[in-house]
Amino acid sequence: PYTYSSLDRSIDGTTMEIHYTKHAAAYATNLQDAAKSEGVDTKKPLEDVLGRISKFSAKMRNNGGGHYNHELFWKSLSPSGGGKPEGTKLMAAIESSFSSFDSFKTEFSDAGKNRFGSGWAWLFLDGDKKLRIGSTPNQDNPLMDVSEIKGLPVLGLDVWEHAYYLRYQNKRADYINAWWNVVNWGYIQNRYETQL
Ligand code: MN
């Protein structure tokens, strides 16, 4: 719902275009492929497969996760994003779980900065519907039965180099700091409330 260059204050248009039309498109194509050869009904929710991903191939894990994570990532961004989810249930839950919005941002940013190699930082709901922060390698996510952190993803940040390298090169922390300015809190808050 936005153009490639419309997030330019945080992420340049070339990065967004390559990310969407090459990287993410490849996950979608390869997922279709894996689903076909492993007998998965693609009309069923992808979450069902991710929850028992240990029963499937590495191709399904990498591309099923890749597709799911990127669909969430695009929707989590907006040219008019940034700020805080003021006055929402999500804001109240963040303040209760992490003591303040600023300390939540610090902890989430650290999860992204400290992920060695490629992966994602997550805000997710655990089994008790409590908000937690963590990270996963590669295209894994908290829905997967193989993941060290388990729960329902609320907000995900792609820290693969392909997400930021053209503008930020080795400075992942600068990318993360800038990314906060385009987070679509309306979408995230809605997502949080529907998963409660
Ligand atoms: Mn990516």
Side-chain angles (χ1 to χ4, degrees):
Y2 48 81
T3 62
Y4 297 123
S5 60
S6 64
L7 307 174
D8 186 68
R9 64 204 164 99
S10 299
I11 306 170
D12 64 278
T14 307
T15 294
M16 287 302 293
E17 184 165 4
I18 296 171
H19 200 175
Y20 188 82
T21 63
K22 308 292 183 197
H23 296 281
Y27 298 129
T29 306
N30 293 331
L31 171 60
Q32 288 292 335
D33 233 43
K36 202 173 171 189
S37 63
E38 293 170 56
V40 167
D41 180 356
T42 54
K43 289 183 199 76
K44 291 197 175 152
L46 182 51
E47 285 90 338
D48 294 352
V49 170
L50 298 178
R52 51 195 176 94
I53 200 70
S54 60
K55 308 275 190 282
F56 295 91
S57 67
K59 182 173 179 174
M60 189 79 84
R61 175 175 173 173
N62 293 336
N63 294 288
H67 182 62
Y68 182 94
N69 297 347
H70 286 84
E71 287 299 296
L72 168 54
F73 188 66
W74 313 132
K75 291 178 196 148
S76 310
L77 303 176
S78 167
S80 56
K84 303 175 183 184
E86 289 289 9
T88 64
K89 282 185 189 170
L90 174 60
M91 186 67 168
I94 285 174
E95 287 175 335
S96 123
S97 295
F98 309 106
S99 75
S100 71
F101 189 73
D102 283 345
S103 45
F104 152 69
K105 276 177 79 173
T106 303
E107 194 179 323
F108 187 96
S109 297
D110 286 347
K113 289 177 203 167
N114 297 333
R115 165 51 50 193
F116 184 77
S118 299
W120 290 72
W122 299 103
L123 175 68
F124 64 100
L125 278 168
D126 71 10
D128 299 323
K129 302 285 180 178
K130 292 271 184 221
L131 285 175
R132 297 197 180 277
I133 288 169
S135 82
T136 53
N138 304 315
Q139 295 296 354
D140 287 357
N141 68 42
L143 292 170
M144 292 181 173
D145 60 353
V146 294
S147 176
E148 272 180 37
I149 56 168
K150 285 192 182 64
L152 303 168
V154 174
L155 174 66
L157 168 61
D158 189 343
V159 296
W160 282 57
E161 286 182 345
H162 69 224
Y164 62 88
Y165 212 81
L166 293 182
R167 178 179 287 174
Y168 296 99
Q169 291 92 46
N170 59 311
K171 297 185 278 293
R172 183 189 284 183
D174 290 0
Y175 156 69
I176 295 174
N177 289 339
W179 167 82
W180 288 109
N181 297 324
V182 289
V183 172
N184 182 352
W185 286 112
Y187 173 73
I188 299 304
Q189 164 220 328
N190 199 39
R191 191 179 164 87
Y192 169 71
E193 289 189 18
T194 58
Q195 288 180 339
L196 282 179

